[in-house]
Amino acid sequence: MKKKRLVIRTMILLLLGAAVAYTLYANFTKDDVKKVAIGEKAPDFVLTDMHGNKHRLSDYEGQGVFLNFWGTWCKPCEREMPYIENQYNAFKEKGVTVLAINVGDSDLAVQKFADRHHLTFPILKDTTDGQVQTAYRINPLPATYMIDKDGKVVKYHTGELTEEMIIDMMEQVKP
């Protein structure tokens, strides 16, 4: 009986050790996955918004794009949404648009969120198994790419944005 317990405990310890080793390995090598580089052409995509309209990133060439990845469950995302809405309204006539890509929420959850925050910019759904999120190597949320009129990435930011930061970012890509 003691021998059986020893074998089981040893197996459990080996499994725990393997899990710890994998976690350390994953954390130390995650930076090896390169983000879309500054100065590089932004990967093109086609996504559908909450009204069924298709949006192709390359169709926005000639204007600046504030590309924001977010989720309804993400508190920093929720806090920055009113600022994004304010600046969308201030910059849309100046040639800067907002494309907000929701990553993984249901249509109902996204619609309730948009209604609650009175969002008027296009909200796109990355429902293609997260292909756009993967192409842009998004982790964690919120994450924002600034894309200039030529379709090139000029800035990347991960984490919550203040209204001043959003203004500065939009000024950088204003055509």
Side-chain angles (χ1 to χ4, degrees):
M1 190 67 164
K2 280 187 175 184
K3 202 172 214 176
K4 189 176 179 181
R5 272 193 300 220
L6 179 63
V7 169
I8 291 172
R9 286 179 183 162
T10 303
M11 288 175 38
I12 290 171
L13 284 173
L14 285 172
L15 283 172
L16 287 172
V20 167
Y22 174 77
T23 301
L24 290 172
Y25 170 78
N27 280 329
F28 286 121
T29 60
K30 74 178 179 185
D31 293 334
D32 293 345
V33 176
K34 294 204 179 349
K35 299 248 183 260
V36 176
I38 304 297
E40 195 176 287
K41 188 91 164 163
D44 200 13
F45 60 81
V46 177
L47 291 176
T48 304
D49 68 21
M50 297 301 295
H51 306 290
N53 303 313
K54 292 201 179 296
H55 296 261
R56 177 181 301 276
L57 180 62
S58 56
D59 289 346
Y60 290 93
E61 285 190 18
Q63 49 187 306
V65 177
F66 183 94
L67 186 64
N68 180 259
F69 292 83
W70 66 283
T72 60
W73 45 267
C74 166
K75 291 302 176 190
C77 301
E78 186 168 11
R79 287 190 296 267
E80 72 184 11
M81 281 298 164
Y83 306 141
I84 295 171
E85 177 66 23
N86 290 344
Q87 296 316 310
Y88 168 69
N89 289 317
F91 279 85
K92 66 183 174 184
E93 299 301 321
K94 298 176 184 177
V96 179
T97 194
V98 169
L99 296 177
I101 299 179
N102 178 269
V103 293
D105 291 309
S106 71
D107 287 351
L108 179 63
V110 173
Q111 192 59 57
K112 282 183 171 183
F113 184 94
D115 292 345
R116 186 170 65 248
H117 294 286
H118 311 290
L119 304 178
T120 60
F121 49 76
I123 297 175
L124 314 180
K125 297 281 294 168
D126 191 8
T127 55
T128 54
D129 298 328
Q131 289 177 3
V132 176
Q133 184 180 5
T134 301
Y136 281 82
R137 308 237 182 348
I138 302 301
N139 186 30
L141 295 178
T144 304
Y145 279 91
M146 297 308 299
I147 302 166
D148 71 9
K149 64 182 178 53
D150 300 318
K152 293 186 178 168
V153 174
V154 297
K155 187 171 184 83
Y156 171 74
H157 180 82
T158 186
E160 186 174 349
L161 295 168
T162 65
E163 193 153 16
E164 292 75 24
M165 292 166 76
I166 294 168
I167 292 168
D168 181 56
M169 292 167 96
M170 289 190 174
E171 283 290 341
Q172 288 179 39
V173 296
K174 184 172 70 173

